[in-house]
């Protein structure tokens, strides 16, 4: 990521025009400061447009990966640029929902363009009696059902990797990839 001199980029703040009147007609001073204007014009242009550089919707493409690292967003160089931008825009929201059904469904939709449904839960048990025995094992962990939306097929390995990364640590999520929407989707 580099920002360099842009040939012919005018400076909004030419130094020659800000010199004392004594140097206004001095050819050497004007040419010298014009050279500095050429060097400083991209700096001023970058500073003037700083909000655009920090907005992932319009930032230069090479900045999107950098912005993703700031907010801990997934940034896969193989994704289309618009999908990478959307991942950065929604990163904070997805972090807020991490470890929840909603977060898992939204994360899978954003990363893979699939529909998902999460049933069951990891279960939690506690006792107010000190030294009480351990609760029985839950019958099974959450089930994540996934089916295609944008794509014709679903990459099972990527689904499993995302589910592993986004499920709470204390749960073992099962993954089921369906060829289409489940029959009972309209309940």
């Amino acid at each position: 990521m580099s920002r360099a001199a842009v040939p012919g980029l005018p400076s909004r703040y030419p130094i020659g025009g800000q010199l004392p009147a004594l140097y206004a007609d001095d050819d050497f001073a004007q040419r010298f400061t014009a050279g500095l204007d050429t060097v400083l014009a991209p700096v001023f242009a970058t500073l003037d447009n700083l909000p655009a550089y920090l907005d992932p919707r319009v930032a230069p493409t090479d900045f999107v990966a950098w912005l993703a690292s700031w907010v801990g967003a997934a940034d896969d160089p193989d994704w289309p640029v618009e999908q990478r931008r959307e991942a950065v825009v929604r990163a904070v929201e997805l972090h807020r929902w991490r470890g929840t059904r909603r977060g898992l469904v939204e994360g899978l939709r954003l990363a893979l363009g699939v529909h998902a449904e999460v049933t069951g839960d990891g279960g939690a048990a506690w006792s107010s009696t000190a030294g009480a025995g351990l609760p029985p094992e839950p019958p099974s962990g959450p089930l994540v059902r996934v089916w295609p939306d944008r794509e014709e097929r679903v990459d099972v390995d990527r689904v499993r990797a995302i589910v592993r990364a986004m499920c709470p640590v204390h749960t073992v999520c099962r993954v089921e990839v369906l060829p289409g929407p489940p029959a009972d989707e309209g309940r």
Side-chain angles (χ1 to χ4, degrees):
M1 152 175 29
S2 67
R3 302 290 175 250
V6 178
L9 181 66
S11 175
R12 289 186 52 192
Y13 312 101
I15 298 171
Q18 298 177 28
L19 292 175
L22 174 67
Y23 298 107
D25 293 329
D26 185 337
D27 184 53
F28 174 76
Q30 292 301 317
R31 285 185 292 123
F32 180 76
T33 57
L36 295 175
D37 289 339
T38 302
V39 173
L40 293 175
V43 174
F44 290 140
T46 300
L47 291 174
D48 288 346
N49 294 299
L50 193 58
Y53 278 93
L54 301 177
D55 182 348
R57 292 177 208 98
V58 295
T61 305
D62 60 341
F63 260 60
V64 174
W66 194 40
L67 292 173
S69 72
W70 285 12
V71 293
D75 183 49
D76 187 339
D78 294 334
W79 289 354
V81 173
E82 290 310 312
Q83 186 177 1
R84 292 173 64 204
R85 291 179 189 281
E86 185 67 19
V88 175
V89 168
R90 297 197 53 211
V92 173
E93 172 193 354
L94 289 177
H95 287 312
R96 181 181 321 125
W97 294 108
R98 188 177 187 103
T100 66
R101 291 177 187 195
R102 178 178 176 178
L104 186 54
V105 168
E106 291 298 317
L108 286 165
R109 181 178 298 135
L110 178 64
L112 302 177
V114 297
H115 288 288
E117 171 184 82
V118 181
T119 57
D121 59 24
W126 61 276
S127 174
S128 60
T129 307
L134 293 174
E137 286 290 320
S140 64
L143 172 63
V144 181
R145 298 166 80 191
V146 176
W147 62 94
D149 178 27
R150 293 189 303 236
E151 303 295 326
E152 293 297 318
R153 67 174 207 77
V154 177
D155 184 345
V156 180
D157 293 331
R158 289 190 68 198
V159 169
R160 286 193 176 117
I162 291 170
V163 168
R164 255 191 320 274
M166 296 188 78
C167 268
V169 173
H170 69 281
T171 59
V172 176
C173 293
R174 296 173 294 136
V175 174
E176 185 179 297
V177 177
L178 307 173
D184 57 354
E185 182 187 15
R187 311 184 242 153

